[in-house]
Amino acid sequence: MKKASIKDIAKHLNVSVPTVSLVMNGRGDEKRISKETQERILKYAQEQNYKPNIFAKGLKKGRSEMLGVIIPNISDVFYARIVSRIEKDAAKHGYTVIFSSSQESGKKESELIRSMFDRQVEGLIIASSQKNADDILALKKINFPFVLVDRHYPDIETDYVIVDNIGGVKSAVNHLVKCGAQRIGFISLKPELDAIKNRFLGYQQGLEDNEMEYISEYVQELKSDTFEEEMSDALDCLLQKHTAVDAIIFSTHYLTTCGIRELRSRNLIIPNDIKIVSFDQFKAFDLLEPPITVVTQPVLDMGDRAVDILLEKLRLKDKVTRQEVLNTGFIVRKSCGEIK
Amino acid sequence: MKKASIKDIAKHLNVSVPTVSLVMNGRGDEKRISKETQERILKYAQEQNYKPNIFAKGLKKGRSEMLGVIIPNISDVFYARIVSRIEKDAAKHGYTVIFSSSQESGKKESELIRSMFDRQVEGLIIASSQKNADDILALKKINFPFVLVDRHYPDIETDYVIVDNIGGVKSAVNHLVKCGAQRIGFISLKPELDAIKNRFLGYQQGLEDNEMEYISEYVQELKSDTFEEEMSDALDCLLQKHTAVDAIIFSTHYLTTCGIRELRSRNLIIPNDIKIVSFDQFKAFDLLEPPITVVTQPVLDMGDRAVDILLEKLRLKDKVTRQEVLNTGFIVRKSCGEIK
DNA sequence: AACATTGGCTAAAACGATTTAGCACGATTT
DNA sequence: AAATCGTGCTAAATCGTTTTAGCCAATGTT
């Protein structure tokens, strides 16, 4: 567990430093180092538990064998699971991952990109705050390998892996209609992220497909940092006496939990008084009374695909961009009642 | 966003490389470089967005400014939150964090320790599988700076930050007794981890403090990879007709969720038929019917303290070991009924 | 006038690897 | 006998920094 340098090895075996280096890098045959010498070197290196100094190697080769991952927030399970998958996949290919959270701040994200760049990561995987088009453009300009996950910039052509938000919400609308919903509300966030915009589009298109009227009062958009205070008013709007909705789609898991708390405090019974669907999975949703019907996102696949694409980019060094839109899943539970 | 080396800067300003280096490291005054030269260098470096090459620096100084974090599983919220805090704290002090998950495997953990060591991290924070005493001893032997969090080796003197598991469970027992529980069961894991052993000890001591008899049939220990299948039998044991328990303490959040599923399927009403307390918080526990009373762990504090201790160790390079046992919290909800 | 001090820098070595170019020797070819 | 080739290695340069030792000119001291 202590440090033997290539010099120590060379000295001890009476060979030159380059000879050791070549053999250790499997270039012994190519450089016609005799089998015998090769074996001596390999054996002794093994004994000494020799590991090349990563800084020396990085300095010479300009390669770090590190990938950077930037996400909004590691304590959100959603991102934690993506990262866990990325780390596992990257390790399989000899890459170490360093990650950092941007806290949804464009400025922090920008700093992180630069800092990772300075640390010579070979590629980046970014779930962007979407407030940082400048850096994304800069990365693209210098042809630095990166892949966006979950969040992308629709106006910038990049590699990305995202989820079919439109389709996901449409499937929720369709299911609610089948269960007899007539007036479907939509509680979402201020449409700062493309993903959120698309969930709204999915809602609209879902209504259209089912020949239902779009009523703007049925849509409530809360701020992501104060939704807990705003939820009550939002529900008031949706539940006004004469035109009360009989179903609600929540566009994120935390809106769902927050909304359920509020509905409970109004003594509304799910699904009798109101049916609900959550876009985005949360672990205990099956434990609630009633269990909550959800649109699920293919979290692990996103991690896998992002790494695949990044590694391919690293290998081919091409300028082709690869885009993937993954399908959502749907788990029917009791929060929408029965299909009629 | 491109690369200017110290050489380029030196050449352009007609000064030597060391001069630039000294100024950039704030040692200009100490080395009596004229104010004027210092300003020229700083200004131009700024313009060129000069960042020292991290490999060259690391090579020369033998310092990486990286910390390694090894945890069982990043997709467990508990560890995700710890890591998020560690990352934030470390960044404040100029350290980058690299982390990896051991998947509770001693072998994987050992590989990770070695790989991080090879990557020249300056210190490690480890939530150990506790199957890897050898490496921990080896690290200790060479006086490598590391801190254990959440999981420690009671037989090895190291720095660590853990939670008062005994006290936490005792507070659960006390509360249940106050609510009128007479026969308290305990559902836990096979005692492979010290933390789990201590939760059991807390249960025993809690009973003792309340002058209740310890009945071994009231304790069920499940395997961590098959607890879902075993839960049903475990509950059967606790709920045998004549001697059925009237309260259960679950020793982890996932045992709690699993247990609740089973209790529901038996149509047992919480807290009327049975009272429950969960050791370890889970986000939706307040949303269940009834909301679940929990023993909370000071997750963020653990992250903070671990980084504090590690940085102090790095600074002082002493051999003193620091141990901290953090207190648990307790949130009373309705799953234990009312205090009588 | 000889010596010491200060100010303002720089030369050169070092960190540990990789890479390029090429040497020395014997064997083979012409 | 000279030229060529193959074998098995090594010397030296290089990557971008930091650090140690010390140079040279100007000024101050005795």
Side-chain angles (χ1 to χ4, degrees):
Chain A
M1 202 101 178
K2 48 189 169 173
K3 307 271 155 170
S5 81
I6 199 168
K7 245 186 232 168
D8 304 332
I9 309 242
K11 195 174 294 171
H12 182 263
L13 296 176
N14 269 316
V15 294
S16 73
V17 167
T19 307
V20 178
S21 171
L22 291 168
V23 171
M24 293 309 291
N25 287 290
R27 299 178 57 200
D29 287 344
E30 170 196 340
K31 292 288 179 177
R32 300 172 322 220
I33 310 292
S34 69
K35 284 274 170 260
E36 188 215 341
T37 309
Q38 294 203 34
E39 269 165 32
R40 278 169 61 221
I41 292 176
L42 288 173
K43 176 149 171 282
Y44 187 67
Q46 180 87 50
E47 274 171 37
Q48 296 295 305
N49 189 27
Y50 166 73
K51 292 280 168 58
N53 178 302
I54 215 156
F55 292 119
K57 192 171 182 171
L59 177 58
K60 192 74 233 288
K61 309 241 286 188
R63 287 199 49 199
S64 62
E65 296 180 337
M66 292 206 264
L67 302 180
V69 175
I70 297 174
I71 48 169
N73 182 1
I74 186 69
S75 38
D76 183 333
V77 234
F78 180 80
Y79 294 111
R81 296 185 70 203
I82 294 184
V83 169
S84 103
R85 198 57 168 251
I86 290 175
E87 190 232 316
K88 202 182 280 177
D89 292 348
K92 264 184 220 146
H93 294 88
Y95 284 94
T96 299
V97 168
I98 67 183
F99 85 91
S100 249
S101 305
S102 66
Q103 319 295 344
E104 299 284 4
S105 144
K107 186 154 158 285
K108 183 91 195 289
E109 180 177 315
S110 170
E111 287 168 14
L112 289 177
I113 291 178
R114 277 150 206 277
S115 130
M116 294 207 171
F117 190 81
D118 292 340
R119 287 202 168 261
Q120 322 266 350
V121 296
E122 294 184 28
L124 282 170
I125 296 178
I126 308 174
S128 176
S129 63
Q130 286 190 226
K131 295 169 192 154
N132 194 25
D134 287 353
D135 282 289
I136 301 297
L137 282 168
L139 288 175
K140 188 177 147 85
K141 198 162 170 189
I142 60 173
N143 204 26
F144 186 85
F146 71 103
V147 178
L148 301 181
V149 289
D150 183 49
R151 322 264 194 91
H152 75 135
Y153 290 78
D155 301 335
I156 308 180
E157 188 182 325
T158 66
D159 297 61
Y160 63 73
V161 185
I162 56 171
V163 146
D164 178 14
N165 289 289
I166 298 186
V169 179
K170 276 166 81 169
S171 63
V173 173
N174 291 340
H175 180 75
L176 283 170
V177 170
K178 278 192 212 144
C179 294
Q182 313 222 328
R183 293 175 304 284
I184 302 176
F186 184 62
I187 296 193
S188 187
L189 298 171
K190 293 285 177 201
E192 289 169 348
L193 298 172
D194 187 67
I196 299 297
K197 284 179 199 151
N198 280 334
R199 288 177 201 172
F200 173 68
L201 284 182
Y203 168 73
Q204 281 192 310
Q205 292 180 20
L207 293 183
E208 212 167 290
D209 289 354
N210 289 282
E211 292 169 356
M212 292 169 82
E213 194 187 351
Y214 167 69
I215 298 175
S216 64
E217 284 77 31
Y218 286 0
V219 174
Q220 294 293 320
E221 292 174 340
L222 316 185
K223 290 197 193 132
S224 58
D225 46 350
T226 54
F227 66 88
E228 282 171 321
E229 292 96 71
E230 298 174 52
M231 183 60 78
S232 174
D233 288 350
L235 286 176
D236 281 344
C237 289
L238 295 194
L239 296 172
Q240 282 172 35
K241 297 230 168 47
H242 300 301
T243 58
V245 300
D246 56 4
I248 301 180
I249 298 172
F250 292 97
S251 85
T252 77
H253 67 75
Y254 47 90
L255 287 174
T256 308
T257 49
C258 178
I260 293 176
R261 258 181 218 116
E262 271 295 327
L263 291 173
R264 290 248 173 97
S265 73
R266 287 156 198 248
N267 295 317
L268 288 171
I269 305 299
I270 307 169
N272 302 15
D273 300 329
I274 190 148
K275 309 177 201 305
I276 72 178
V277 177
S278 171
F279 189 101
D280 200 2
Q281 168 74 307
F282 191 74
K283 218 177 177 185
F285 278 164
D286 68 319
L287 276 186
L288 301 192
E289 224 2 84
I292 308 299
T293 296
V294 295
V295 177
T296 60
Q297 305 195 69
V299 190
L300 301 180
D301 291 350
M302 265 212 286
D304 288 344
R305 296 303 300 134
V307 175
D308 286 351
I309 291 178
L310 186 56
L311 290 180
E312 195 162 324
K313 230 178 161 53
L314 249 25
R315 213 158 39 80
L316 303 178
K317 298 185 178 301
D318 57 10
K319 291 198 176 193
V320 182
T321 56
R322 297 165 185 79
Q323 282 99 25
E324 292 198 18
V325 180
L326 306 181
N327 288 327
T328 54
F330 198 73
I331 302 180
V332 175
R333 298 207 184 95
K334 295 186 182 156
S335 66
C336 305
E338 299 284 321
I339 295 185
K340 313 234 154 137
Chain B
M1 203 102 176
K2 47 189 168 171
K3 307 274 156 170
S5 82
I6 201 169
K7 246 186 230 166
D8 304 331
I9 309 242
K11 195 174 294 170
H12 182 263
L13 297 177
N14 269 315
V15 295
S16 73
V17 166
T19 307
V20 179
S21 171
L22 290 169
V23 171
M24 293 310 291
N25 287 291
R27 299 180 57 200
D29 288 343
E30 169 196 341
K31 291 288 179 178
R32 299 174 319 219
I33 309 293
S34 68
K35 286 274 169 256
E36 189 214 341
T37 309
Q38 294 204 34
E39 270 164 33
R40 279 168 61 222
I41 292 176
L42 288 173
K43 176 149 173 284
Y44 187 68
Q46 179 89 51
E47 274 171 39
Q48 296 295 304
N49 187 27
Y50 167 72
K51 291 282 167 58
N53 178 301
I54 214 156
F55 292 118
K57 193 172 182 171
L59 177 57
K60 191 71 233 281
K61 310 240 289 186
R63 288 199 47 200
S64 62
E65 295 179 337
M66 292 206 265
L67 302 180
V69 175
I70 298 174
I71 49 170
N73 183 2
I74 186 67
S75 39
D76 182 331
V77 234
F78 180 80
Y79 294 111
R81 296 185 71 204
I82 294 184
V83 169
S84 105
R85 199 57 169 251
I86 290 176
E87 190 232 319
K88 203 181 280 177
D89 292 348
K92 266 184 219 146
H93 293 88
Y95 284 95
T96 299
V97 167
I98 67 182
F99 85 89
S100 248
S101 306
S102 66
Q103 319 295 347
E104 299 283 7
S105 144
K107 185 153 159 287
K108 183 91 195 288
E109 181 178 313
S110 170
E111 287 167 13
L112 289 176
I113 291 179
R114 277 149 206 277
S115 131
M116 294 209 170
F117 190 81
D118 292 340
R119 289 204 167 259
Q120 322 265 349
V121 296
E122 295 183 26
L124 282 170
I125 295 178
I126 309 174
S128 176
S129 63
Q130 287 189 227
K131 294 170 192 154
N132 194 25
D134 287 352
D135 283 287
I136 301 297
L137 281 169
L139 287 175
K140 188 177 147 84
K141 198 163 172 187
I142 59 172
N143 202 27
F144 186 84
F146 72 102
V147 178
L148 302 181
V149 288
D150 182 50
R151 320 264 195 93
H152 76 136
Y153 290 78
D155 302 335
I156 308 181
E157 187 182 326
T158 66
D159 296 60
Y160 63 73
V161 184
I162 56 171
V163 145
D164 178 14
N165 289 290
I166 297 187
V169 179
K170 275 166 81 169
S171 63
V173 174
N174 291 340
H175 180 75
L176 285 169
V177 171
K178 278 190 209 143
C179 292
Q182 311 222 332
R183 292 176 304 283
I184 303 175
F186 184 63
I187 297 193
S188 187
L189 299 171
K190 293 285 178 201
E192 289 170 348
L193 297 172
D194 187 66
I196 299 297
K197 285 180 200 150
N198 281 335
R199 288 178 200 171
F200 173 67
L201 285 181
Y203 168 72
Q204 280 193 311
Q205 292 180 20
L207 293 183
E208 213 166 291
D209 290 354
N210 289 282
E211 292 169 358
M212 293 169 80
E213 193 187 351
Y214 167 69
I215 299 175
S216 64
E217 284 78 29
Y218 287 179
V219 174
Q220 294 292 320
E221 292 174 339
L222 316 185
K223 289 197 193 131
S224 59
D225 46 351
T226 54
F227 66 89
E228 282 170 317
E229 292 96 72
E230 299 173 52
M231 182 60 78
S232 174
D233 288 350
L235 285 175
D236 282 343
C237 289
L238 295 195
L239 296 172
Q240 281 173 36
K241 296 228 169 52
H242 299 300
T243 58
V245 299
D246 56 5
I248 301 179
I249 298 172
F250 292 97
S251 84
T252 76
H253 67 74
Y254 48 89
L255 288 174
T256 307
T257 48
C258 178
I260 293 176
R261 260 181 216 114
E262 271 295 327
L263 291 174
R264 291 247 172 99
S265 74
R266 288 157 199 246
N267 295 316
L268 287 171
I269 305 298
I270 306 170
N272 301 13
D273 299 330
I274 191 150
K275 309 177 200 304
I276 72 177
V277 177
S278 170
F279 190 100
D280 201 3
Q281 168 73 308
F282 191 73
K283 218 176 175 182
F285 278 164
D286 69 318
L287 275 186
L288 301 191
E289 228 356 89
I292 307 299
T293 296
V294 295
V295 177
T296 61
Q297 304 195 67
V299 190
L300 301 180
D301 291 351
M302 265 212 286
D304 288 344
R305 296 303 303 136
V307 175
D308 286 351
I309 291 179
L310 186 56
L311 290 180
E312 195 163 325
K313 230 179 162 52
L314 249 23
R315 214 157 37 79
L316 302 179
K317 298 185 178 304
D318 57 10
K319 291 200 175 192
V320 182
T321 57
R322 284 157 261 258
Q323 281 100 24
E324 291 196 20
V325 180
L326 305 181
N327 287 328
T328 54
F330 199 73
I331 301 180
V332 175
R333 298 206 184 95
K334 296 188 180 155
S335 66
C336 305
E338 299 285 320
I339 294 186
K340 313 230 154 141

